[in-house]
Amino acid sequence: MVPDLPANPLSVELTLRHRRLWWHTEDQDEDPERWDVSADVWWLDVCPDDQRHVGDLAFAAADLFRDRDLLEAAALGRWVQDFLVQAVSLGDRRLHPELAERIGPGPERFVIVRRVEITEDWRGHGVGASLLAGALRVMARSARFALCRPSAADFGGDGADETAAELDAARAGAALARIGFWRWRGVYVVDLGDQTLLDARKDLTDRWWPDGDRT
């Protein structure tokens, strides 16, 4: 049975935005770059106006083998710094063999998934994972792999139930695994060229594509 959603999820479009000063050269651009993604129902499709906004995603993109100064390293976040210490050899520009075996060739950059937030009316149907997969495939043009590390702290807050926050983090990890992420030393990693990111959208397309119109 098709779930009750405000609109056909196939009509959701992604808007990716990266801000930079117009006079910056490529070498002067911020590292990590910050990317914001907005998911919204296409204006021509039928949907209540107050439910057109589906969610927001936030990424950071950075050079894989860059020798960073302290400010740039701090901007990545502690867990990303710890990952890079284990995963990257700057001297010979190589990934750890365990990662190199599972991540194909591509631009020597990586993406950090900072945030995936789906509005309440669109939750519970796998939309968030599918949108994340779609957005990451766009980023595949300029990066080799992506990282994410959901934790209870991401879902908790002042007075929040710790058990509920841990369950939410576990569910987020399971959603990441469904779209192709795998764990390496406590961090979820996905090859942006992985076919699984394409296949991750199949469940929604199979349920919502008009009968007889799909080729």
Side-chain angles (χ1 to χ4, degrees):
M1 181 177 179
V2 175
D4 185 17
L5 286 172
N8 187 329
L10 300 186
S11 66
V12 176
E13 59 183 3
L14 301 177
T15 302
L16 283 78
R17 180 177 60 189
H18 167 54
R19 293 181 178 177
R20 60 182 290 176
L21 293 172
W22 68 268
W23 48 267
H24 270 182
T25 65
E26 183 176 339
D27 290 340
Q28 291 174 314
D29 202 7
E30 188 177 35
D31 187 278
E33 297 173 354
R34 286 170 171 78
W35 288 83
D36 295 312
V37 184
S38 179
D40 303 273
V41 175
W42 187 39
W43 69 276
L44 284 177
D45 203 14
V46 176
C47 180
D49 287 343
D50 61 349
Q51 295 175 313
R52 284 191 176 277
H53 183 59
V54 179
D56 297 285
L57 298 83
F59 300 150
D63 291 343
L64 183 56
F65 298 114
R66 181 165 179 164
D67 190 2
R68 294 177 173 82
D69 60 30
L70 292 177
L71 184 61
E72 290 174 338
L76 290 172
R78 172 58 62 183
W79 71 265
V80 180
Q81 294 179 60
D82 292 342
F83 172 87
L84 292 175
V85 168
Q86 300 177 79
V88 175
S89 173
L90 291 179
D92 54 11
R93 298 176 62 85
R94 291 180 182 274
L95 283 177
H96 190 286
E98 292 175 359
L99 293 171
E101 184 178 350
R102 300 190 64 173
I103 298 173
E108 299 298 359
R109 293 176 62 76
F110 67 101
V111 172
I112 306 156
V113 180
R114 299 286 201 195
R115 178 168 66 103
V116 178
E117 185 174 328
I118 303 301
T119 58
E120 185 174 355
D121 293 321
W122 287 86
R123 293 175 190 166
H125 303 290
V127 173
S130 295
L131 294 180
L132 175 59
L136 287 177
R137 285 294 299 183
V138 176
M139 299 298 292
R141 299 172 182 174
S142 58
R144 188 173 172 188
F145 63 90
L147 308 175
C148 189
R149 197 196 65 168
S151 68
D154 299 327
F155 300 92
D158 294 339
D161 186 307
E162 291 185 8
T163 300
E166 290 174 357
L167 288 173
D168 286 339
R171 282 193 284 267
L176 291 172
R178 286 196 297 273
I179 64 173
F181 281 82
W182 40 277
R183 281 174 63 89
W184 189 79
R185 304 191 182 185
V187 176
Y188 284 89
V189 184
V190 67
D191 178 352
L192 292 181
D194 194 328
Q195 181 66 30
T196 309
L197 280 176
L198 289 174
D199 295 341
R201 297 171 289 183
K202 188 174 184 296
D203 183 50
L204 281 182
T205 56
D206 283 350
R207 280 185 288 164
W208 285 90
W209 207 284
D211 291 341
D213 289 351
R214 189 177 184 188
T215 57

